[in-house]
Structure formats: structure tokens, C-alpha cells
Amino acid sequence: MTEPLLSVRDLKKHYPIRKGVFNRQVGAARAVDGISFDIAPGETLGLVGESGCGKSTAASSVIRLEEPTAGEVVFNGNGREGAARTPDGTHPNDVTRFDDDELKAFRRGAQMIFQDPSSSFDPRMSVGNAVGELLKVHGMSDRHRRRAIVEDLLERVGLSANDFDRYPHEFSGGQKQRIALARALVLNPDLIIADEPVSALDVSIQAEILSLIDDLQEEFGLSLLFISHDMSVIRQICDRVAVMYLGEIVEIGPVEGIFSDPQHPYTEALLSSIPTPDPRASVGGIELKGTVPSPTNPPSGCRFHTRCHKVIQPEGVDVDQDDWRGLLNFRDSVVAGEIDVEQVRENVAAGETAPAESEVRAELRREFDIGETVDDPDLERTLSEAIGLLLQDDDERAGEILSNAITTPCAQTEPARTVHGPDHESACLRHEGRASAEPNPADD
Amino acid sequence: MATEKPERFDQVDWNDLSRSGRFDLSVNALGMLATAIPLVLLGLYEWQFLGRRTATFEFVGLERNLETIDYFFVFTLLLFVWFLVLPLLQNPRMTRYYWEEFKRNRPAVVSLVWLGIVFVGGLLGPLLVSAPQQDLLVAYQPPVFTSVVDTTPATCVGEVIEGRCHGTWQHPFGTTQGGKDVFTMIIYGMTVTMQIAFITTTIVAAIGISFGTLSAYAGGWVDEVMMRFVDIILSFPTFLMFLLILYIYGAGLGMFIVVFSILGWGGTARYVRSKSLSISEEEFIQASRISGASTYRVIRGHVVPNVASSIITQLTLLIPGFLLAEAQLAFLGIGDSSVPSWGQLISAGRSDLSFAPWIVLAPGIVLFLTILAFNFLGDALLDALNPEAEAENG
């Protein structure tokens, strides 16, 4: 097995939350909570997920713009290939343990492209100097030599040498992103981390930049960690994809595998969000309700279970999947005390006198997408009883009986990684029982 | 091959380069050094080898003497030339862009011209025009185009028509009770004005920027302590402090400048701190950090220039305060009456206001116009240097 260029193991980045006079730590936002992946030389790995799932934090921890809390980032480029682990278990190429000199050298091996082209350049510095600054920082004091290299590079990314003396405000967003690419390239790195490099651009310009990245990658044998929330962009440029949810990687695998045969419900939901040119196509329509839960207090078990449309029903229960999701949501809302019965009554009444109880019951069911009757008689009885208690303003008791009756294994067991094909893994309880992935398969 | 074709970025051997280029001074720094070293040497020479009464340039046969404050003035002028004027010339594109933005504001352009006149007058005037001489015979001459009752001036230099003495071009702004030419005194006052403007700005900017950026970057309790110190500076009664020093040591212009600027940087430091905090969140700062640049280089290369362009405005608006303070102190009779400032001139004409108002009015109007000009300039600079507007237009 060839050595990966970048090998991330169990990387964590927790932001402490401090409170009080003594700044005592009361908790932590677990932005990145134990992710692992490898990038082979010349390969593009996509990191995809919705906003707030920790993609960007993962990137800045990998490149050590922020200090990771725990974990290991082994970077084997930049002439550091083939190093073996030391007897005490640490790796000599572990970026998180680099000292200042090693870190500076590492900067020549890994660079980054930022999301917002308008703020990623100093407005008071000509773009030529902004690109040349990296050469200067790394010891090239010859001004003319810097200029020659940067001018050549500007032409390579599709601008002209005359642009050297122009200022960021004289360029469009797409042009600035080309310059950002030049800046990332100028030290001839082995790895470029691109943090949503095209999401601030028009679609037509996106395509140009993507193909430029593709060309440059091919020409200089770059590895790419490409972060995006846009599955269609990922499909265009990546070799492999890692899908992230709430600080964890839920599925990782080759692009074709993930797109044709997604294994994790979250991946399915993401894929269904890609617009298709055919208006009659029946694909899509998986709607994720609610927002990403707070990373300070992530859900137990599988972190996706609060929003999953394929959440597992306990043994002996077999109801309609939509009803099941609705029941779980209903339970969570009742427990959280979010249901305002008075409000529901008012909505139903719409100006008339007090509505019949049955109407209120129906309205509550509609609100949570629960069918008129639930297939399972026990559950149906519990539900009716809970709604009844709710209507009598006994929220606490209602929450109690719902919590006792409606449970899912997803909330109790943390899913292990299962293997679905070559290099294709996911973490979902529905696949439990298949051969689970051996720990850290790439870590020979 | 490398000599024929331009070198490509992927052909650089970094291991060769890593340790070179530690002392890579810019043209600006070299120019500053080349001009400041002679100045320092001259100062040392005067301090060590010349008597108090010997003129500085006696060794080349010139009568001219340099006071301590003149050394500081020349030094700040050198800073101004090498780090403000020269960079503007070095980056013609940026300069043209700023100028386009700036000249939209007509009053500011007029102000700039006026301040240019005061600047050049203050710089060259004393070299071209000899110092005003006391001559009681020509006391109370009226300004040109005006006339006073014949009995006011001792002898009338101009024509006396129907018992009224008319002003002449010989004394365009009239003369004082001592017969000194008001116009000449205003020109000498320009030097004082420019000295106050340049030296205070330099001191305030130097302390404010270093204190503010340091506080922003240190963070934690260091930040806390530094900002509480700023609170103390801001609430410090500068005027009383100045009076105290005045009664103990006596106070010339130099002391005024030092006391008022050393206690006047609080607002600037606070502004710089908040500005640096917001700038250090920008992606270009992260991009610079990721390039491997040291914190010092990031601050020096990106944070300070971006802060500086916005505090130029704030500093410009600070100058009128110092000028007014000087004039007020002079008017109250506090301060060194031998300093030929506009305030002193106003103060000198105070008792003659009823029959010779020009002694107060001429410097008063000039002072008023200068302060107005600084305010207009500050506003226009704010618009011209505003980076947010740039981003939106771009």
C-alpha cells in the first residue's frame, strides 16, 4: 500500500466554553469530534456537509491555523516521505507536533484557498506583492526574481503579467480566486486545502475555476482537500468524498460509489438536494427538518438520529416510516416543552368559539406529519393518551409516557463503521451486522 | 536555461534559500536611515561640542541655530517623506485611485491647498523672510486697503488722506504695538503650527499604534491592564498637569507638545485596538499566517498598514485640538511668550482690540481657516481611504 500524503487520525477540535468570574470551563463546543481520513498523492478528497458541521474547522485544524485539541495529522510530503513511527507511538511527520521551523517548512508543503475572494486579499497590497509575499517570507530576498516568478504564475492561472501591480479592488471575484490559486501555488506545495473556493462565485465562473484547479492539479501532481456544501461541485472535481455531520464523518468513499449507492441516510438527503434538469424526475425530496443540533451537546448514539428519515424502529414495532419520524419529533417537542396547546387551539378555532377536542387532536397530528391512526395499536393508544394529557396541560406526564413508549436504538448505540465496497465506509446502525470496518484500515 | 526563460515557481530550491535575506531593508527604510543619521550626528555635535549660544551652522558660516524642537520637527518631516510621500509615489495606481476618491470632495481639495500653503510657508518662510523686528516708529500700521485715524500709528508709512492713515503693501496685514509686521509673524507662526501638527501626530501615532496593536494581540489580562491604563490616560487632566509642569520647570513649546501628545494618545490606542481586532479576523490575515509569516511580520505588513489608513483620519482630526489648545494657553498668557505662534500674536493684540483689531483678526482668521481645513481634510480622507467602499465598488 502506498503511503498517503496526508493522514488524519481521530482529529478533534473542541472550543472551550467559559463562564463566571473565574473563567471556569463549563463545556465545550465539539466542532470537530474525531475525524479520520487519508489523501493519496495527486488525489482530491471532498469534504461535504451543511453549514456548521465543522468542515472549515477541520481544514484549519489540519493546516494548523488553529491548534487541534487532539488527534494526529501526518503529512508525508515536502521531502519527509517514508518516515516510520518512533517507538513511543508518535509519528515524526505529525503536524500537530511540529516545532516552529518544521511548521514553517510545512507551510511550503501545504497551502490553503479561502472562501471569500473579497476579504482574502489585503486591500492595501498589490496582488503581485500579496503572492510574492510568500516567497519573501521563505527567504527569497531578490525582488526581481520574485517578480519574475509571480508574473509567470499569474499567466498560468489565466491572468496577465501586467496584473502584478494592480490592487484587489480592480479584480472580479473570479479573478481574485485565480490569484488566490496563484498564491496557494507559489511555494509549490504538495497539498492544497480549498475551503469552499467557488461557493461565492457565479455558476459560470465556478466551472472555469474548477477546471483551472483540475488542470493545475494534473500538471503539478497536487493533492487537494476540497471543502464544499455543494454535492454537484464535489462530483465534478473529487476522487473521493467524506460526508461530515456534526463534527463526525458519517460516510466516506469513492465519488461514484457515494453518488450511485449512498449508504448513510444523511448522504441520501444531501444527494437529493442536487437540482436535476428533468422536472419530472422523482429523485429528491428528502427534506431534513430542523437545524443542525448544537455541537456543545450533541445527540446521543448516532448524532443524526434527531433528523434522520430512516431512523430505526425498535424490535416489535412496524409503523409507517413517516409516522415514526413524526412520533419521534412529537416526543422531542413534548419533552422540550415546545408545544403550546393554547396556540394550537387558537389556530384551529380561527375566530370561532372553542373548537372541538377532536379537531385539536387532528391539528397536532398534522403538525407532526403523523397519520390519522398509527399502525401499531400500542403506540396509537400511547399517542392518544399523551395528546389527552397535553390537552389537560399535563406536559410533564405526557412527556414521560411518550419517552417510555417511543424509543429508537439509534439514540442508544453509537454506530460503528461498516464497509460496503472497496474503500467505501459508512457509520449507520442499519448496516450493523455486516462486516464492520477494521479500525483504521489505512494505518498499516 | 534559467537565465533565458523566467524562473518557474516549481523550480525554486527552497533549502538553498531558507536562511538568506534576514536583513532585507526597503528603499524607504534605507532612505530614512541615510537622512536620519546625519541629523542625529548633527544633534550630538551641537549637544557635545557647541556652546549654548553658538549657532548650529556656524561651521559653514550660517547664522542659523537649531533648537531641540527643530531636530524633532526635521525628524518627523523625514518620516513623513520616506513613509508617506514616497510610498504614494511608489504606488502610482493606488495614489491615483485615492486621489480620484479624494477630489470628489471640493472643500477638501481647497483645504489641502491651504494646508499646502501653510506647510510650505512654515518650512521655507523663516529661511526667506527675516524675523520681524521691533520698530516703535511704525507701530499700529493698518493693513493694506484699510485706514485708521491718523493718531493711532506713531508715524504713518502710507499716505495720510483727510486725517486717516492708509495701509501699504509694505505691511500687508499691518503691524503690532511693537511695530512688528503681522504678515511676517503669521509666517513664523506657520512654522510653529506645522511643528505642533507634525510632532504631536508622530508621537500620538507611534504610541497609539504600538500600544493598540500590542494590546489587541496580547489579549487576556495584558490587554485588560493596558486598556485600563488607557482609561487613566483618557481621564487624566492634561491641562492641570501642564500647569503643574509649567510652575515647576517653566514650559516652552517643546514641553507643550510633549505633555499634550504624551497624554493625548488614549483615544487613538483604543481605536487602533478595536480596528486591529477586527482586521485580524479577516481572511487575508489568515492567508498571511498560513504563508508562514511570523506574528511580527503579519502585524507590521498587514495589520498596521490597514489600521494606519483609518487612523490617518483620526489623527488629522486630532491636530486642530492641539492647535486650539496652544492658542488658548497663549491667549490666557500661559506658555512661552517668545514662541512666535498665532496664539501669542492674538494674545499680544488683545489689549489693542478696540483701535487695532487687525492684530487679533489676521492670525485669528488664519488659525480658524487652518483648523477648518484640517477638519475638512479629515472627513475627505475618511471617505477616500474607506476600504469597505472599495470592496463594494470592486
Side-chain angles (χ1 to χ4, degrees):
Chain A
M1 186 172 182
T2 51
E3 190 181 48
L5 177 71
L6 183 80
S7 172
V8 176
R9 285 291 165 268
D10 207 22
L11 184 73
K12 289 182 183 171
K13 174 69 194 172
H14 295 181
Y15 294 99
I17 298 168
R18 295 176 191 282
K19 263 189 192 154
V21 193
F22 300 106
N23 266 343
R24 210 170 327 177
Q25 187 174 340
V26 293
R30 305 198 222 161
V32 175
D33 208 11
I35 59 170
S36 305
F37 58 83
D38 288 329
I39 302 180
E43 185 189 44
T44 306
L45 175 72
L47 195 57
V48 71
E50 63 199 308
S51 333
C53 73
K55 297 169 297 194
S56 297
T57 312
S60 49
S61 303
V62 166
I63 207 158
R64 238 184 111 180
L65 199 54
E66 290 180 85
E67 295 295 327
T69 313
E72 193 183 64
V73 178
V74 176
F75 180 71
N76 294 320
N78 225 7
R80 305 181 69 106
E81 295 84 358
R85 261 177 204 285
T86 51
D88 60 349
T90 57
H91 200 288
N93 292 352
D94 185 355
V95 177
T96 60
R97 291 169 193 274
F98 276 175
D99 62 26
D100 285 355
D101 283 342
E102 282 177 309
L103 192 61
K104 191 163 177 179
F106 167 64
R107 300 295 183 214
R108 292 206 298 271
Q111 277 294 318
M112 191 160 171
I113 303 174
F114 294 90
Q115 175 175 7
D116 184 3
S118 63
S119 77
S120 60
F121 286 95
D122 185 345
R124 321 228 164 260
M125 196 180 241
S126 73
V127 295
N129 284 329
V131 177
E133 191 195 10
L134 281 80
L135 298 172
K136 198 172 166 187
V137 165
H138 288 273
M140 188 185 288
S141 50
D142 183 347
R143 189 168 295 129
H144 303 287
R145 194 172 169 198
R146 288 204 302 260
R147 191 174 178 109
I149 290 177
V150 173
E151 283 182 347
D152 170 62
L153 191 52
L154 285 177
E155 282 174 355
R156 247 161 225 285
V157 297
L159 297 162
S160 91
N162 298 331
D163 291 331
F164 187 96
D165 290 314
R166 295 172 70 191
Y167 285 86
H169 69 258
E170 299 175 90
F171 294 96
S172 70
Q175 286 172 320
K176 275 187 227 175
Q177 219 53 324
R178 287 173 188 270
I179 302 164
L181 204 53
R183 176 169 63 185
L185 271 177
V186 72
L187 291 174
N188 193 23
D190 298 316
L191 171 74
I192 290 184
I193 296 183
D195 187 359
E196 307 232 14
V198 296
S199 56
L201 306 175
D202 288 349
V203 180
S204 58
I205 297 168
Q206 274 189 8
E208 283 174 25
I209 300 288
L210 288 177
S211 76
L212 177 67
I213 292 177
D214 223 23
D215 293 347
L216 290 171
Q217 182 182 19
E218 206 164 305
E219 190 172 353
F220 300 109
L222 294 165
S223 296
L224 215 59
L225 176 60
F226 193 98
I227 296 171
S228 181
H229 61 261
D230 189 340
M231 282 306 247
S232 50
V233 170
I234 292 281
R235 177 155 57 183
Q236 238 174 309
I237 195 153
C238 296
D239 303 318
R240 289 196 305 137
V241 196
V243 181
M244 236 180 130
Y245 184 78
L246 209 58
E248 289 179 340
I249 290 180
V250 294
E251 183 164 4
I252 184 167
V255 164
E256 313 83 55
I258 297 255
F259 276 77
S260 60
D261 185 20
Q263 294 298 327
H264 197 281
Y266 181 60
T267 317
E268 284 174 23
L270 281 181
L271 287 172
S272 79
S273 69
I274 304 176
T276 42
D278 181 5
R280 281 161 302 183
S282 60
V283 207
I286 303 175
E287 191 190 345
L288 290 184
K289 298 234 171 66
T291 51
V292 186
S294 159
T296 44
N297 188 15
S300 60
C302 169
R303 291 190 174 181
F304 188 53
H305 82 260
T306 54
R307 296 168 73 202
C308 183
H309 57 283
K310 284 193 174 166
V311 67
I312 299 174
Q313 303 174 13
E315 218 146 310
V317 177
D318 185 21
V319 299
D320 181 59
Q321 189 62 36
D322 285 344
D323 286 350
W324 181 240
R325 179 71 261 170
L327 284 169
L328 287 169
N329 288 350
F330 182 63
R331 175 199 69 186
D332 292 343
S333 294
V334 172
V335 170
E338 283 164 358
I339 296 181
D340 185 356
V341 180
E342 279 313 306
Q343 189 64 43
V344 179
R345 280 210 182 96
E346 261 174 53
N347 288 353
V348 176
E352 292 163 40
T353 47
E357 194 184 297
S358 60
E359 281 180 61
V360 180
R361 281 172 180 269
E363 173 65 19
L364 271 173
R365 281 172 181 254
R366 247 198 312 284
E367 211 168 278
F368 287 91
D369 285 330
I370 305 172
E372 275 172 35
T373 49
V374 179
D375 295 344
D376 187 289
D378 284 343
L379 277 177
E380 175 61 38
R381 206 173 321 117
T382 317
L383 181 63
S384 304
E385 195 186 339
I387 294 180
L389 283 165
L390 210 56
L391 293 181
Q392 290 158 27
D393 276 340
D394 193 354
D395 293 16
E396 217 166 288
R397 180 91 188 89
E400 225 168 88
I401 64 166
L402 282 173
S403 306
N404 288 336
I406 306 173
T407 53
T408 165
C410 290
Q412 284 143 15
T413 321
E414 236 172 274
R417 279 201 180 183
T418 42
V419 179
H420 306 285
D423 211 20
H424 186 169
E425 294 172 22
S426 77
C428 180
L429 277 181
R430 295 181 306 129
H431 307 304
E432 207 85 333
R434 290 201 219 181
S436 62
E438 63 234 64
N440 296 346
D443 196 20
D444 41 301
Chain B
M1 174 196 154
T3 48
E4 301 285 304
K5 280 170 77 179
E7 195 180 6
R8 254 174 46 178
F9 70 95
D10 55 340
Q11 294 160 345
V12 179
D13 183 2
W14 285 105
N15 295 323
D16 263 5
L17 275 170
S18 297
R19 290 287 158 196
S20 63
R22 282 286 150 101
F23 296 98
D24 178 26
L25 285 176
S26 65
V27 183
N28 310 48
L30 283 176
M32 184 68 206
L33 277 181
T35 46
I37 289 174
L39 182 77
V40 173
L41 290 178
L42 185 71
L44 285 176
Y45 165 72
E46 166 153 7
W47 182 45
Q48 286 294 330
F49 300 107
L50 290 185
R52 283 189 80 82
R53 304 204 172 275
T54 328
T56 313
F57 290 109
E58 212 172 58
F59 61 95
V60 284
L62 277 173
E63 274 296 291
R64 196 150 169 74
N65 190 26
L66 284 180
E67 306 284 340
T68 320
I69 193 165
D70 294 317
Y71 283 105
F72 279 109
F73 185 43
V74 176
F75 184 74
T76 55
L77 283 179
L78 292 178
L79 284 175
F80 176 71
V81 168
W82 292 112
F83 293 108
L84 202 72
V85 178
L86 189 64
L88 285 177
L89 296 176
Q90 284 167 331
N91 304 306
R93 296 183 76 93
M94 206 61 178
T95 310
R96 207 174 314 129
Y97 174 76
Y98 285 146
W99 176 243
E100 292 296 322
E101 292 287 311
F102 180 80
K103 76 178 181 191
R104 282 192 213 160
N105 191 334
R106 296 278 160 200
V109 176
V110 177
S111 304
L112 193 66
V113 172
W114 170 253
L115 290 177
I117 292 171
V118 175
F119 178 67
V120 174
L123 219 55
L124 302 179
L127 302 178
L128 302 176
V129 186
S130 54
Q133 293 301 315
Q134 189 111 336
D135 184 0
L136 288 172
L137 285 178
V138 295
Y140 298 126
Q141 296 297 323
V144 68
F145 302 128
T146 60
S147 61
V148 287
V149 183
D150 194 14
T151 49
T152 307
T155 48
C156 187
V157 177
E159 293 175 347
V160 181
I161 303 168
E162 293 168 8
R164 291 186 75 81
C165 175
H166 285 253
T168 58
W169 279 108
Q170 213 173 330
H171 301 291
F173 288 174
T175 58
T176 65
Q177 65 267 54
K180 287 183 179 175
D181 183 39
V182 173
F183 181 71
T184 318
M185 292 187 77
I186 287 178
I187 288 185
Y188 273 73
M190 287 176 180
T191 314
V192 178
T193 302
M194 281 299 133
Q195 283 175 339
I196 295 176
F198 273 87
I199 303 176
T200 51
T201 311
T202 310
I203 297 179
V204 166
I207 304 182
I209 293 179
S210 10
F211 206 89
T213 42
L214 197 63
S215 180
Y217 262 81
W221 63 269
V222 178
D223 182 28
E224 192 70 20
V225 169
M226 287 177 94
M227 279 301 115
R228 292 301 76 76
F229 184 67
V230 166
D231 290 343
I232 294 174
I233 288 287
L234 278 174
S235 54
F236 205 87
T238 310
F239 181 66
L240 293 181
M241 179 74 185
F242 184 67
L243 284 187
L244 197 69
I245 289 175
L246 181 91
Y247 284 123
I248 299 174
Y249 303 106
L253 183 63
M255 189 57 88
F256 167 81
I257 291 176
V258 168
V259 169
F260 273 77
S261 48
I262 286 217
L263 295 172
W265 52 268
T268 311
R270 220 180 237 183
Y271 186 80
V272 169
R273 175 180 171 270
S274 67
K275 196 78 194 167
S276 334
L277 281 178
S278 73
I279 286 172
S280 55
E281 293 296 311
E282 297 270 349
E283 276 182 353
F284 67 82
I285 296 293
Q286 296 189 8
S288 179
R289 280 178 54 204
I290 237 169
S291 75
S294 60
T295 309
Y296 171 75
R297 191 191 271 273
V298 173
I299 294 177
R300 173 77 186 72
H302 295 285
V303 178
V304 171
N306 279 283
V307 168
S309 56
S310 28
I311 67 159
I312 280 178
T313 306
Q314 209 237 356
L315 291 174
T316 315
L317 296 175
L318 216 62
I319 295 171
F322 290 117
L323 293 181
L324 275 180
E326 196 278 334
Q328 282 161 359
L329 288 174
F331 189 78
L332 291 173
I334 305 164
D336 190 353
S337 57
S338 66
V339 175
S341 75
W342 295 336
Q344 291 294 347
L345 187 55
I346 295 172
S347 159
R350 189 173 46 174
S351 51
D352 309 327
L353 197 57
S354 54
F355 57 92
W358 60 86
I359 305 174
V360 170
L361 283 183
I365 291 170
V366 172
L367 179 65
F368 168 73
L369 290 178
T370 308
I371 285 169
L372 200 65
F374 270 116
N375 279 313
F376 277 135
L377 189 71
D379 278 349
L381 285 177
L382 183 66
D383 294 337
L385 299 177
N386 187 2
E388 280 84 76
E390 270 167 48
E392 278 160 23
N393 295 340

